[in-house]
């Protein structure tokens, strides 16, 4: 009897481990960009993959402090300075020209640092086998070369909307007339001027990416590997792109089925607030306005007259203020403002007494506001913020203000708009619609990652990605359709002219012969 029981247990155990094994994938995460806010999004997803029993190896600048089961770090920490508070609060064409150069330069540097690393090199030297490589799609395609060398299918991740150089590789239409452009204003209803502006800036960005980023990365990769295909070709072979947007916020867009909206998966349940913050928030009878311009902008670099206008506007509002501010004090030392250079943003926005969020409109913060149903006053500065802010206004999550338009009166007007009970009720309902999905953002992201690993030999890219540009724009069809009638017309016209001339000649001849 005992023997039978033991055999039975052993059988169950083997079946159980077999099943477990069958669902356990070997996953490599490649995150060579040192921006904290980006990795902050991906980290939640990577941890969830590990929690589901997959063996996850993560190359990044942000190793875990505490070891996590199934989660292995290949740390690049210390190799580059973490990007924080690097940009001034300013907007001009000059910054629109400069920032893409900065982004592309950082990408090529990230590529070199990644491939130089001995632990990363061990991956290909030891011929490690991965079922899928998950990697950020942002400032470089270097990791696609690494994934190619490891012979693994790729799933791309973003922490923002589509970057201009990613439209064509996934076959997503970019039409300046109605597709919002991340770096510029205008959203989905641009003026003629804005359409021209985005057409020119888009071309500029794609040229920079192709001739600087991809060319440099390709030669960096060539120092380590033979025969890496052109990075643009590898870009088109990405199985799925997990895009950090959602149509309730950004509106309906034409996306192929392998570009999947998973906006919001980084959101976790809020934690208890620190005691002093909780008291500050709960002690305000009219609620609290939260202000933050994110981790990349130097808030204190804002022009002094703008700070003065903001402070004067805030002084007229009955709400208390919590402001993420890098310095110890604000000009004029206002009393109703809680200052700190670090704040638990998600937990603050989660508090029901927080009634508005004045934000630069980074996608993380905006997503958190949407999740908790807090109205947003959007003041976009750079990067994807103009497009996010346009989406905030178009979806009804909030209103926008331009840095250059800030005065005490204009700000007060905007604040009063978003603080009305009707506005807040609409935002709460928008928040519910955004959360109401057949599967959660995280489940969706994990599902398509596993799917890519299960069917590595299939490709799901839209045919639009493979069509030459002249065919994509139907220029050949236009040529034929306009060309054939044009040729026929030309033939008829020449015949007509010729006949006419001959007729004239012959009648002329007759006339002269009659006169003779
Ligand atoms: C899991 O990943 C680690 C680190 O990359 C590796 O050393 C280990 O062999 C992997 N385990 C399995 C079962 O593949
Ligand atoms: C994919 O194709 C390769 C090479 O043809 C083959 O060895 C492999 O078994 C295929 N994988 C799957 C999951 O079908």
């Amino acid at each position: 009897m005992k023997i039978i029981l033991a055999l039975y247990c052993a059988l169950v155990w083997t079946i159980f481990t077999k099943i477990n094994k069958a669902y356990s994938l070997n996953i490599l995460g490649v995150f060579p960009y040192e921006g904290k806010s980006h990795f902050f999004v991906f980290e939640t997803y990577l941890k969830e993959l590990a929690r589901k029993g997959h063996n996850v190896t993560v190359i990044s600048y942000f190793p875990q402090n505490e070891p996590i089961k199934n989660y292995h770090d290949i740390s690049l920490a210390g190799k580059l300075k973490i990007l924080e508070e690097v940009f001034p609060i300013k907007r001009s064409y000059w910054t629109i020209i400069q920032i893409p150069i900065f982004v592309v330069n950082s990408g090529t540097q990230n590529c070199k640092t990644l491939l130089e690393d001995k632990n990363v090199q061990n991956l290909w030297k030891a011929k490690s086998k991965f079922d899928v490589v998950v990697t950020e799609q942002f400032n470089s395609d270097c990791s696609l070369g690494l994934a190619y060398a490891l012979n693994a299918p790729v799933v791309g991740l973003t922490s923002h909307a589509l970057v201009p150089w990613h439209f064509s590789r996934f076959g997503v239409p970019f039409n300046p007339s109605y597709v919002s452009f991340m770096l510029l204003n205008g959203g989905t209803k641009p003026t003629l001027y804005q359409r021209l502006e985005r057409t020119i800036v888009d071309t500029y960005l794609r040229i920079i990416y192709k001739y600087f980023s991809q060319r440099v990365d390709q030669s960096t990769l060539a120092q380590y590997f033979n025969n890496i295909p052109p990075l643009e070709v590898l870009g088109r072979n990405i199985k799925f792109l997990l895009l950090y947007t959602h149509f309730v916020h950004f509106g309906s867009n034409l996306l192929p089925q392998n570009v999947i909206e998973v906006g919001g998966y980084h959101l976790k349940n809020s934690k208890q607030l620190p005691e002093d913050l909780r008291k500050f928030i709960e002690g305000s009878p009219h609620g609290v306005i939260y202000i933050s311009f994110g981790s990349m902008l130097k808030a204190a670099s804002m022009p002094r007259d703008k700070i003065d206008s903001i402070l004067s506007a805030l002084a007229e509002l009955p709400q208390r203020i919590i402001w993420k501010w890098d310095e110890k004090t604000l000009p004029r030392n206002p009393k109703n403002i809680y200052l700190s250079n670090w704040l638990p943003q998600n937990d603050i926005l989660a508090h029901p007494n927080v009634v508005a969020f004045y934000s630069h409109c980074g996608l993380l913060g905006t997503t958190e506001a949407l999740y908790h149903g807090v109205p947003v006053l959007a003041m976009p500065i750079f990067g994807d913020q103009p497009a996010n802010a346009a989406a905030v206004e178009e979806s009804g999550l909030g209103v926008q203000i331009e840095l250059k338009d800030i005065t005490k009166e204009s700000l007060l007007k905007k604040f009063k708009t978003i603080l009305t009970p009707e506005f807040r009720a609409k935002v709460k309902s928008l928040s519910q619609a955004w959360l109401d999905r057949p599967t959660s953002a995280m489940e969706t992201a994990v599902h398509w990652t596993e799917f890519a690993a299960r069917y590595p030999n299939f490709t799901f890219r839209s045919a639009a990605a493979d069509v030459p540009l002249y065919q994509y724009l139907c220029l050949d069809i236009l040529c034929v359709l306009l060309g054939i009638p044009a040729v026929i017309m030309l033939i008829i016209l020449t015949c007509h002219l010729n006949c006419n001339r001959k007729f004239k000649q012959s009648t002329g001849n007759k006339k002269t012969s009659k006169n003779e």
Side-chain angles (χ1 to χ4, degrees):
M1 192 62 205
K2 264 187 190 161
I3 292 174
I4 292 172
L5 195 68
L7 278 175
Y8 179 75
C9 284
L11 186 71
V12 168
W13 177 246
T14 30
I15 289 172
F16 181 74
T17 47
K18 273 259 163 65
I19 289 173
N20 234 6
K21 253 226 173 86
Y23 283 90
S24 169
L25 298 167
N26 222 8
I27 299 177
L28 176 66
V30 189
F31 299 93
Y33 171 63
E34 73 277 29
K36 195 173 180 175
S37 59
H38 291 215
F39 190 74
F40 183 72
V41 172
F42 309 135
E43 191 180 23
T44 336
Y45 154 88
L46 295 164
K47 283 183 182 168
E48 174 64 14
L49 289 172
R51 198 194 61 77
K52 287 204 71 185
H54 300 308
N55 191 36
V56 184
T57 306
V58 180
I59 307 171
S60 81
Y61 286 85
F62 308 95
Q64 296 301 320
N65 294 327
E66 307 280 331
I68 297 177
K69 195 174 163 229
N70 299 335
Y71 188 112
H72 314 276
D73 275 306
I74 296 183
S75 171
L76 302 174
K79 302 214 163 185
L80 290 175
K81 195 174 165 292
I82 298 307
L83 292 175
E84 250 176 326
E85 289 169 11
V86 282
F87 297 112
I89 296 195
K90 257 201 291 204
R91 269 195 92 177
S92 66
Y93 276 118
W94 181 234
T95 53
I96 292 176
I97 293 172
Q98 257 183 329
I99 285 175
I101 296 178
F102 170 86
V103 164
V104 161
N105 264 336
S106 83
T108 53
Q109 185 55 51
N110 291 154
C111 183
K112 290 179 185 134
T113 317
L114 172 74
L115 297 177
E116 266 165 23
D117 187 85
K118 290 280 174 289
N119 294 321
V120 174
Q121 292 182 0
N122 277 341
L123 292 175
W124 72 78
K125 288 185 178 151
K127 299 203 162 47
S128 304
K129 284 261 170 285
F130 292 99
D131 300 300
V132 60
V133 168
V134 296
T135 186
E136 175 166 17
Q137 280 275 285
F138 172 51
N139 62 349
S140 159
D141 285 324
C142 184
S143 54
L144 302 182
L146 175 61
Y148 179 85
L150 295 170
N151 196 20
V154 176
V155 170
L157 303 173
T158 75
S159 63
H160 40 68
L162 278 175
V163 177
W165 45 81
H166 292 151
F167 280 82
S168 56
R169 72 174 46 166
F170 293 103
V172 180
F174 173 69
N175 184 329
S177 306
Y178 62 84
V179 177
S180 145
F181 186 78
M182 64 169 14
L183 276 80
L184 297 167
N185 295 355
T188 61
K189 292 172 192 67
T191 60
L192 174 62
Y193 180 78
Q194 289 168 331
R195 294 200 291 276
L196 285 168
E197 198 183 46
R198 59 177 64 172
T199 306
I200 294 166
V201 175
D202 178 63
T203 312
Y204 165 72
L205 288 177
R206 285 188 292 118
I207 288 175
I208 292 222
Y209 195 67
K210 183 166 177 189
Y211 293 102
F212 295 95
S213 170
Q214 286 184 330
R215 209 157 68 173
V216 174
D217 287 351
Q218 198 89 48
S219 67
T220 307
L221 282 160
Q223 292 169 16
Y224 298 91
F225 310 102
N226 298 324
N227 317 324
I228 297 285
L231 289 173
E232 190 56 30
V233 172
L234 295 183
R236 290 195 284 126
N237 285 340
I238 292 173
K239 302 289 176 192
F240 291 98
L241 181 69
L242 305 177
L243 189 61
Y244 213 65
T245 56
H246 190 266
F247 69 89
V248 167
H249 176 203
F250 280 87
S252 284
N253 282 306
L254 291 174
L255 296 175
Q257 277 83 354
N258 68 336
V259 175
I260 293 158
E261 292 199 303
V262 290
Y265 67 59
H266 85 277
L267 287 158
K268 285 172 279 193
N269 289 338
S270 50
K271 294 189 292 287
Q272 188 95 49
L273 282 166
E275 202 47 30
D276 57 336
L277 258 179
R278 191 184 63 79
K279 278 195 180 137
F280 183 83
I281 293 176
E282 286 172 6
S284 177
H286 299 280
V288 170
I289 295 170
Y290 172 59
I291 305 178
S292 167
F293 302 129
S295 61
M296 292 292 263
L297 290 167
K298 279 181 282 195
S301 72
M302 196 185 297
R304 181 60 202 260
D305 60 316
K306 299 296 176 198
I307 297 180
D308 282 337
S309 305
I310 295 174
L311 289 174
S312 317
L314 295 177
E316 303 243 324
L317 292 169
Q319 282 80 15
R320 282 187 182 173
I321 316 294
I322 297 175
W323 193 337
K324 179 183 175 290
W325 184 254
D326 357 322
E327 286 170 13
K328 288 268 180 300
T329 57
L330 269 170
R332 297 196 247 155
N333 276 323
K335 282 215 179 54
N336 63 338
I337 302 188
Y338 182 108
L339 286 185
S340 173
N341 62 359
W342 185 88
L343 288 161
Q345 176 160 294
N346 188 44
D347 306 333
I348 292 176
L349 291 171
H351 198 289
N353 215 20
V354 173
V355 290
F357 178 21
Y358 181 17
S359 163
H360 67 307
C361 245
L363 192 49
L364 246 82
T366 314
T367 305
E368 284 163 1
L370 189 47
Y371 181 70
H372 297 296
V374 180
V376 173
L377 173 53
M379 184 183 74
I381 305 295
F382 78 107
D384 59 344
Q385 295 154 17
N388 300 342
V392 160
E393 194 159 73
E394 288 178 18
S395 65
L397 176 61
V399 294
Q400 282 198 75
I401 192 161
E402 285 282 315
L403 178 62
K404 67 174 169 34
D405 298 335
I406 286 185
T407 58
K408 178 183 154 189
E409 292 72 30
S410 65
L411 257 182
L412 265 179
K413 199 166 152 233
K414 298 275 178 184
F415 269 122
K416 286 192 172 149
T417 309
I418 61 171
L419 287 168
T420 58
E422 298 78 44
F423 201 97
R424 291 184 53 208
K426 208 180 138 206
V427 169
K428 285 278 181 245
S429 142
L430 188 78
S431 169
Q432 281 163 5
W434 180 80
L435 269 171
D436 195 342
R437 311 182 194 187
T439 54
S440 75
M442 183 62 92
E443 281 163 349
T444 312
V446 168
H447 172 78
W448 293 109
T449 309
E450 292 172 344
F451 187 99
R454 281 198 289 266
Y455 311 104
N457 295 342
F458 295 130
T459 298
F460 309 98
R461 74 164 166 268
S462 157
D466 296 325
V467 171
L469 189 66
Y470 76 91
Q471 283 184 23
Y472 183 81
L473 298 173
C474 298
L475 296 181
D476 48 348
I477 298 179
L478 272 179
C479 276
V480 174
L481 289 184
L482 295 178
I484 291 177
V487 168
I488 294 175
M489 288 290 279
L490 210 71
I491 292 171
I492 294 175
L493 217 71
T494 9
C495 277
H496 191 68
L497 283 177
N498 271 345
C499 295
N500 246 0
R501 206 180 305 138
K502 280 208 179 120
F503 178 73
K504 268 189 190 150
Q505 262 172 13
S506 66
T507 49
N509 284 347
K510 274 178 196 160
K511 270 182 194 159
T512 45
S513 62
K514 257 188 193 167
N515 287 347
E516 267 171 6

